[in-house]
Amino acid sequence: MTDNSPDITAKALRLITDCGLRPSPQRLAVAAYVLAHRTHPTADEIYSAIKVGYPSLSRTTVYNTLRALVESNAICELTIEPGNSRFDGYTEPHAHFRCDSCRRIYDIIMPQLPELTSFDVKKTQLYFSGQCPSCKRAAAGI
């Protein structure tokens, strides 16, 4: 379920209005879910999670809201998995790690990303893959 804290709700309202959308309860729920869940959810995961509270919610509303938020740089779209977009409300520069075993995606905070002062960088996506610590321990029988 979506974290309905005042901070998340206020930030979701700002994201929705800043990208030019009318702040319907369903759109606010989509934005709030992405902001509150650092699990890098797919559109279908978001739809399934918030459909319970919004029975009239359509997949189209979820997809269109996510698309508008991505296009306005309010959230990030991750293409770390072939044919499966995931969404990240944490927009500070960071990398991602995808575990090949459990398929979980982790935020990797980089101590310092390279300075690209002479470039006009619009988007950065840096991915790592392999085994997360939990899967590595399980594979080793620990």
Side-chain angles (χ1 to χ4, degrees), residues 16 21 44-45 56 66 79 86 88-89 93 96 105 141:
I16 292 295
L21 294 175
D44 287 337
E45 289 169 348
S56 64
L66 291 169
T79 55
R86 294 184 167 272
D88 191 354
H96 292 95
I105 299 172

PDB file of all heavy atoms in Angstrom, residues 16 21 44-45 56 66 79 86 88-89 93 96 105 141:
ATOM      1  N   ILE A  16       2.871  15.790  -9.942  1.00  0.00           N
ATOM      2  CA  ILE A  16       1.744  15.718 -10.880  1.00  0.00           C
ATOM      3  C   ILE A  16       1.456  17.087 -11.493  1.00  0.00           C
ATOM      4  O   ILE A  16       1.315  17.219 -12.707  1.00  0.00           O
ATOM      5  CB  ILE A  16       0.480  15.156 -10.178  1.00  0.00           C
ATOM      6  CG1 ILE A  16       0.685  13.688  -9.809  1.00  0.00           C
ATOM      7  CG2 ILE A  16      -0.769  15.336 -11.033  1.00  0.00           C
ATOM      8  CD1 ILE A  16       0.837  12.744 -10.965  1.00  0.00           C
ATOM      9  N   LEU A  21      -0.283  17.683 -15.320  1.00  0.00           N
ATOM     10  CA  LEU A  21      -1.460  16.830 -15.200  1.00  0.00           C
ATOM     11  C   LEU A  21      -2.415  17.362 -14.140  1.00  0.00           C
ATOM     12  O   LEU A  21      -1.986  18.005 -13.181  1.00  0.00           O
ATOM     13  CB  LEU A  21      -1.051  15.401 -14.823  1.00  0.00           C
ATOM     14  CG  LEU A  21      -0.242  14.615 -15.843  1.00  0.00           C
ATOM     15  CD1 LEU A  21       0.171  13.267 -15.261  1.00  0.00           C
ATOM     16  CD2 LEU A  21      -1.026  14.425 -17.128  1.00  0.00           C
ATOM     17  N   ASP A  44       2.929  -2.531 -13.971  1.00  0.00           N
ATOM     18  CA  ASP A  44       1.963  -3.541 -13.533  1.00  0.00           C
ATOM     19  C   ASP A  44       1.981  -3.734 -12.023  1.00  0.00           C
ATOM     20  O   ASP A  44       0.929  -3.941 -11.408  1.00  0.00           O
ATOM     21  CB  ASP A  44       2.205  -4.871 -14.245  1.00  0.00           C
ATOM     22  CG  ASP A  44       1.772  -4.832 -15.703  1.00  0.00           C
ATOM     23  OD1 ASP A  44       0.913  -3.990 -16.061  1.00  0.00           O
ATOM     24  OD2 ASP A  44       2.283  -5.645 -16.490  1.00  0.00           O
ATOM     25  N   GLU A  45       3.162  -3.665 -11.410  1.00  0.00           N
ATOM     26  CA  GLU A  45       3.239  -3.778  -9.949  1.00  0.00           C
ATOM     27  C   GLU A  45       2.547  -2.588  -9.286  1.00  0.00           C
ATOM     28  O   GLU A  45       1.844  -2.756  -8.279  1.00  0.00           O
ATOM     29  CB  GLU A  45       4.696  -3.863  -9.500  1.00  0.00           C
ATOM     30  CG  GLU A  45       5.371  -5.167  -9.850  1.00  0.00           C
ATOM     31  CD  GLU A  45       6.874  -5.170  -9.640  1.00  0.00           C
ATOM     32  OE1 GLU A  45       7.481  -4.098  -9.422  1.00  0.00           O
ATOM     33  OE2 GLU A  45       7.444  -6.271  -9.714  1.00  0.00           O
ATOM     34  N   SER A  56     -11.770   1.922  -9.773  1.00  0.00           N
ATOM     35  CA  SER A  56     -11.987   2.414 -11.144  1.00  0.00           C
ATOM     36  C   SER A  56     -10.675   2.717 -11.872  1.00  0.00           C
ATOM     37  O   SER A  56     -10.696   3.161 -13.028  1.00  0.00           O
ATOM     38  CB  SER A  56     -12.860   3.672 -11.122  1.00  0.00           C
ATOM     39  OG  SER A  56     -12.184   4.719 -10.451  1.00  0.00           O
ATOM     40  N   LEU A  66       2.814   7.597 -15.484  1.00  0.00           N
ATOM     41  CA  LEU A  66       4.249   7.297 -15.435  1.00  0.00           C
ATOM     42  C   LEU A  66       4.980   7.949 -16.596  1.00  0.00           C
ATOM     43  O   LEU A  66       6.056   8.531 -16.419  1.00  0.00           O
ATOM     44  CB  LEU A  66       4.479   5.783 -15.432  1.00  0.00           C
ATOM     45  CG  LEU A  66       4.038   5.049 -14.169  1.00  0.00           C
ATOM     46  CD1 LEU A  66       4.076   3.544 -14.385  1.00  0.00           C
ATOM     47  CD2 LEU A  66       4.895   5.450 -12.972  1.00  0.00           C
ATOM     48  N   THR A  79      15.720   0.833 -17.616  1.00  0.00           N
ATOM     49  CA  THR A  79      15.615  -0.207 -18.633  1.00  0.00           C
ATOM     50  C   THR A  79      16.674  -1.269 -18.371  1.00  0.00           C
ATOM     51  O   THR A  79      17.313  -1.759 -19.293  1.00  0.00           O
ATOM     52  CB  THR A  79      15.764   0.399 -20.043  1.00  0.00           C
ATOM     53  OG1 THR A  79      16.998   1.118 -20.091  1.00  0.00           O
ATOM     54  CG2 THR A  79      14.610   1.330 -20.373  1.00  0.00           C
ATOM     55  N   ARG A  86      11.119  -0.231 -15.341  1.00  0.00           N
ATOM     56  CA  ARG A  86      10.897  -0.039 -13.909  1.00  0.00           C
ATOM     57  C   ARG A  86      11.014   1.449 -13.623  1.00  0.00           C
ATOM     58  O   ARG A  86      11.607   2.189 -14.402  1.00  0.00           O
ATOM     59  CB  ARG A  86      11.919  -0.838 -13.100  1.00  0.00           C
ATOM     60  CG  ARG A  86      11.721  -2.337 -13.273  1.00  0.00           C
ATOM     61  CD  ARG A  86      12.669  -3.123 -12.400  1.00  0.00           C
ATOM     62  NE  ARG A  86      12.278  -4.506 -12.352  1.00  0.00           N
ATOM     63  CZ  ARG A  86      11.416  -5.016 -11.470  1.00  0.00           C
ATOM     64  NH1 ARG A  86      10.868  -4.234 -10.562  1.00  0.00           N
ATOM     65  NH2 ARG A  86      11.104  -6.284 -11.486  1.00  0.00           N
ATOM     66  N   ASP A  88      11.691   4.748 -10.793  1.00  0.00           N
ATOM     67  CA  ASP A  88      12.459   5.137  -9.620  1.00  0.00           C
ATOM     68  C   ASP A  88      12.142   6.584  -9.283  1.00  0.00           C
ATOM     69  O   ASP A  88      12.371   7.482 -10.091  1.00  0.00           O
ATOM     70  CB  ASP A  88      13.954   4.963  -9.936  1.00  0.00           C
ATOM     71  CG  ASP A  88      14.855   5.087  -8.728  1.00  0.00           C
ATOM     72  OD1 ASP A  88      14.369   5.416  -7.629  1.00  0.00           O
ATOM     73  OD2 ASP A  88      16.061   4.843  -8.889  1.00  0.00           O
ATOM     74  N   GLY A  89      11.608   6.792  -8.085  1.00  0.00           N
ATOM     75  CA  GLY A  89      11.309   8.149  -7.638  1.00  0.00           C
ATOM     76  C   GLY A  89      12.501   8.876  -7.068  1.00  0.00           C
ATOM     77  O   GLY A  89      12.450  10.077  -6.811  1.00  0.00           O
ATOM     78  N   PRO A  93      21.616  11.567  -8.761  1.00  0.00           N
ATOM     79  CA  PRO A  93      22.500  10.673  -9.528  1.00  0.00           C
ATOM     80  C   PRO A  93      22.946   9.468  -8.700  1.00  0.00           C
ATOM     81  O   PRO A  93      23.447   9.616  -7.585  1.00  0.00           O
ATOM     82  CB  PRO A  93      23.697  11.572  -9.876  1.00  0.00           C
ATOM     83  CG  PRO A  93      23.156  12.959  -9.823  1.00  0.00           C
ATOM     84  CD  PRO A  93      22.116  12.939  -8.740  1.00  0.00           C
ATOM     85  N   HIS A  96      22.584   1.519 -10.371  1.00  0.00           N
ATOM     86  CA  HIS A  96      21.723   0.412  -9.956  1.00  0.00           C
ATOM     87  C   HIS A  96      22.464  -0.909 -10.106  1.00  0.00           C
ATOM     88  O   HIS A  96      23.313  -1.055 -10.980  1.00  0.00           O
ATOM     89  CB  HIS A  96      20.436   0.379 -10.786  1.00  0.00           C
ATOM     90  CG  HIS A  96      19.556   1.536 -10.514  1.00  0.00           C
ATOM     91  ND1 HIS A  96      19.575   2.686 -11.275  1.00  0.00           N
ATOM     92  CD2 HIS A  96      18.648   1.752  -9.531  1.00  0.00           C
ATOM     93  CE1 HIS A  96      18.711   3.551 -10.773  1.00  0.00           C
ATOM     94  NE2 HIS A  96      18.134   3.003  -9.725  1.00  0.00           N
ATOM     95  N   ILE A 105      16.469  -5.150  -7.572  1.00  0.00           N
ATOM     96  CA  ILE A 105      17.284  -4.033  -8.036  1.00  0.00           C
ATOM     97  C   ILE A 105      17.598  -3.138  -6.842  1.00  0.00           C
ATOM     98  O   ILE A 105      16.704  -2.758  -6.088  1.00  0.00           O
ATOM     99  CB  ILE A 105      16.568  -3.239  -9.141  1.00  0.00           C
ATOM    100  CG1 ILE A 105      16.317  -4.157 -10.342  1.00  0.00           C
ATOM    101  CG2 ILE A 105      17.385  -2.011  -9.540  1.00  0.00           C
ATOM    102  CD1 ILE A 105      15.448  -3.558 -11.412  1.00  0.00           C
ATOM    103  N   GLY A 141      25.999 -21.645   0.606  1.00  0.00           N
ATOM    104  CA  GLY A 141      25.507 -22.487   1.696  1.00  0.00           C
ATOM    105  C   GLY A 141      25.705 -21.908   3.070  1.00  0.00           C
ATOM    106  O   GLY A 141      25.734 -22.627   4.061  1.00  0.00           O
TER     107      GLY A 141
END
